[in-house]
Amino acid sequence: MTSAHVKEIISIVKTGRVLTNESDRYSYSFDGSFGTYLPDVVIQTKSVEELAALVKLANREKIPVYPRGQATSLSGGPLPVKGGMVFDLSVMDDLLEIHEEDLVAIVSPGVLTSNIHHAAERKGLMYPPDPSSSHVSTIGGNLAENSGGPRGLKYGVTKDYVIGLEMITPQGEIIRTGGRTVKNVTGYDLTKLIVGSEGTLGIITKAILRLIPKPPASETVMAIFNSLVDAGRAISKILSSGILPSKMELMDQASIIAVENYQPSGLPRDAEALILIELDGHPSAVIDEAEQVSKVCKEVGARKVTIPKTKAETEEVWKARKLVSPAIVRIKPTKISEDATVPRSKIPEMCRRLQEIKKKYNVHLVVFGHAGDGNLHPNIIADKSDKEEMRRVELAVTEIFEAAVQLGGTLSGEHGIGTMKAPFMEMELGAEGLDMMKKIKQAWDPNNIMNPGKIFPEPGQKLVLSE
């Protein structure tokens, strides 16, 4: 990027800030995954018109554009791998409207997801997608990555709740897709195409989200197992018994031990797995369903099943699950968080394969996550300064993806592809499937300025964690 480009950018941005100092730019060079890439310039503005003018400039001069929220991405989503401009959309946090009668929320991309949850709940409503990072992640980032969360089992992921968007195209035009109606079958569904496109098709500047009435009651069941595979079998059996929990979370023995060492809460260190099940709905229905779930777990071989009696006990149980991520990085500093997802019927087999991979490569593999929808989170804890260990981790991660795809699953349930999983795209989609996605990208963005270097692998690109 030339100094003339920077001058033109500064002349466009009248209401925001243009950051060119190296120290500022370094603050935007990384995210929650791997790699550091320095952008040429960072722009903060709340003005959609200024952003659109910047995109027009970028398209004319073929300057890469990288939209960014709070950079909690675990797949490299906002990394400016080819330099260029970073748009810090976290500053666009002014719009958060709840329209009770229409059951919709209208939001700007920099609004924190948890603020949408709180605003909806104050009106007796619920925005179901609940990524674990919702207290720090922006809705724009969630839309880009099509984020999920524990409630995805019953309620689905982000795209299931987006009914309209305002966005800037790669040509710098401002367009609107969808609207405020739940039913809308006018032409191609561009809204669904844009959600989950990881910033490669344009920049979302406003979203209309569908809300639902908040269920009046919930119950939690905790089941403890001596076998991880048995826990997997219990999950499959509950889901085929006619009960649909709102959450079904798995913790393996390594997760349990890590949490107990970090902040003890009385979990059994000798158990190979535990599952936490939340049921929501009508008060009497959830009590009945909790009893049925307990019975199924016991039939499959759970050694102990408990239903917390008080709100405090329930919160303590769920707090243990939330503590897994901070607890495991106490063991070693580098966390490789994957979200390979398999069909529900294959959960026991995937659990078995993960145990094999752990032994084969002698890696510290921890399994936890949203097991009810097959969205396991195999996390590997390592030390990135140990090159030999990181090479073993690379091989283990590759085999995890291979196992998921062989079992009819997918590379990503909710974290997105970004840079981390791009090398494996053809393995899941096939050359023709990947080529069809590339054709859509080329049609929308012929100059390849929107978040280049994401989703689509460069020739010969491999997963590299050991540099």
Side-chain angles (χ1 to χ4, degrees):
M1 190 188 288
T2 66
S3 57
H5 290 146
V6 175
K7 267 190 191 156
E8 191 171 347
I9 290 165
I10 291 167
S11 72
I12 290 168
V13 182
K14 295 186 172 63
T15 65
R17 299 203 303 160
V18 179
L19 308 177
T20 55
N21 287 345
E22 193 173 59
S23 57
D24 288 328
R25 291 185 289 128
Y26 264 108
S27 303
Y28 290 82
S29 67
F30 57 90
D31 66 359
S33 68
F34 283 77
T36 305
Y37 304 88
L38 195 63
D40 295 313
V41 63
V42 176
I43 294 106
Q44 295 177 325
T45 175
K46 293 173 184 278
S47 166
V48 176
E49 289 71 26
E50 287 177 8
L51 290 174
L54 290 168
V55 173
K56 278 195 167 81
L57 160 65
N59 197 47
R60 186 187 81 221
E61 300 294 327
K62 298 185 174 54
I63 299 166
V65 172
Y66 290 96
R68 176 186 175 101
Q70 292 273 68
T72 56
S73 174
L74 296 169
S75 61
L79 293 176
V81 295
K82 302 204 184 283
M85 301 187 217
V86 164
F87 289 180
D88 178 1
L89 301 176
S90 69
V91 300
M92 298 181 74
D93 60 355
D94 295 344
L95 180 65
L96 171 49
E97 298 173 356
I98 305 294
H99 296 264
E100 293 165 80
E101 290 183 354
D102 290 333
L103 289 175
V104 298
I106 302 177
V107 297
S108 48
V111 171
L112 295 187
T113 311
S114 60
N115 289 347
I116 303 171
H117 291 151
H118 298 321
E121 281 169 12
R122 283 195 290 270
K123 306 277 189 182
L125 302 172
M126 179 165 89
Y127 173 62
D130 60 335
S132 299
S133 59
S134 61
H135 60 295
V136 285
S137 64
T138 62
I139 188 65
N142 290 180
L143 294 162
E145 301 291 351
N146 192 16
S147 303
R151 283 200 293 242
L153 167 61
K154 182 172 184 176
Y155 293 105
V157 293
T158 298
K159 72 176 177 189
D160 299 312
Y161 295 89
V162 187
I163 56 175
L165 294 172
E166 175 188 87
M167 71 165 295
I168 302 169
T169 70
Q171 289 71 41
E173 305 300 333
I174 300 167
I175 66 166
R176 287 166 188 81
T177 72
R180 285 172 65 151
T181 59
V182 174
K183 283 184 172 177
N184 183 333
V185 294
T186 305
Y188 293 163
D189 193 343
L190 297 181
T191 307
K192 289 277 198 296
L193 176 62
I194 295 156
V195 174
S197 64
E198 302 190 25
T200 62
L201 299 180
I203 296 168
I204 295 167
T205 52
K206 191 188 291 182
I208 304 170
L209 308 174
R210 185 166 67 87
L211 305 175
I212 62 172
K214 192 172 191 295
S218 67
E219 282 279 340
T220 291
V221 178
M222 180 167 78
I224 293 160
F225 292 85
N226 290 330
S227 153
L228 180 61
V229 175
D230 279 353
R233 282 174 47 228
I235 290 160
S236 297
K237 197 158 182 194
I238 290 164
L239 293 168
S240 57
S241 71
I243 295 169
L244 184 55
S246 53
K247 300 178 187 174
M248 198 182 273
E249 298 289 292
L250 172 75
M251 288 169 63
D252 73 351
Q253 189 170 24
S255 313
I256 295 166
I257 291 169
V259 168
E260 284 300 297
N261 288 344
Y262 179 64
Q263 206 168 309
S265 56
L267 300 178
R269 291 166 177 265
D270 62 333
E272 205 171 274
L274 68 79
I275 51 177
L276 293 173
I277 302 139
E278 184 181 89
L279 305 143
D280 69 2
H282 188 277
S284 54
V286 295
I287 292 166
D288 181 51
E289 286 180 351
E291 284 172 10
Q292 287 184 59
V293 164
S294 303
K295 193 172 158 218
V296 169
C297 289
K298 284 171 185 162
E299 284 169 2
V300 174
R303 85 176 195 205
K304 188 181 179 189
V305 181
T306 53
I307 300 172
K309 297 285 182 287
T310 65
K311 193 176 180 214
E313 283 176 22
T314 303
E315 282 171 1
E316 187 68 20
V317 162
W318 285 103
K319 186 176 149 199
R321 164 64 185 89
K322 278 204 160 75
L323 286 173
V324 176
S325 275
I328 57 180
V329 291
R330 289 276 293 271
I331 302 162
K332 285 185 178 180
T334 309
K335 179 161 81 88
I336 300 92
S337 178
E338 293 308 341
D339 65 326
T341 302
V342 295
R344 290 162 177 167
S345 60
K346 302 293 184 188
I347 294 168
E349 175 61 14
M350 188 64 181
C351 289
R352 193 184 64 74
R353 294 228 195 160
L354 289 169
Q355 287 175 312
E356 283 177 3
I357 291 166
K358 181 177 183 173
K359 287 195 192 92
K360 180 176 174 182
Y361 295 104
N362 186 27
V363 290
H364 197 116
L365 177 69
V366 181
V367 183
F368 63 96
H370 322 315
D373 49 16
N375 186 195
L376 302 171
H377 284 323
N379 276 234
I380 297 175
I381 314 305
D383 182 348
K384 68 178 176 188
S385 64
D386 183 338
K387 300 284 187 276
E388 189 277 328
E389 180 181 38
M390 292 307 282
R391 277 190 279 277
R392 281 186 282 116
V393 171
E394 287 165 5
L395 294 169
V397 169
T398 301
E399 207 156 307
I400 288 168
F401 290 144
E402 285 169 355
V405 172
Q406 282 166 11
L407 293 172
T410 178
L411 301 173
S412 179
E414 58 187 16
H415 293 169
I417 300 301
T419 55
M420 294 280 287
K421 301 191 193 92
F424 307 101
M425 284 288 277
E426 192 171 319
M427 180 172 78
E428 178 174 336
L429 299 171
E432 292 77 12
L434 185 57
D435 188 53
M436 189 55 73
M437 285 192 185
K438 281 182 184 166
K439 284 175 179 166
I440 293 169
K441 166 71 169 164
Q442 283 158 4
W444 275 68
D445 181 17
N447 290 329
N448 193 29
I449 63 158
M450 280 294 164
N451 212 4
K454 311 300 164 63
I455 299 180
F456 304 106
E458 307 277 344
Q461 186 178 340
K462 288 186 166 59
L463 173 70
V464 178
L465 303 173
S466 52
E467 283 186 352

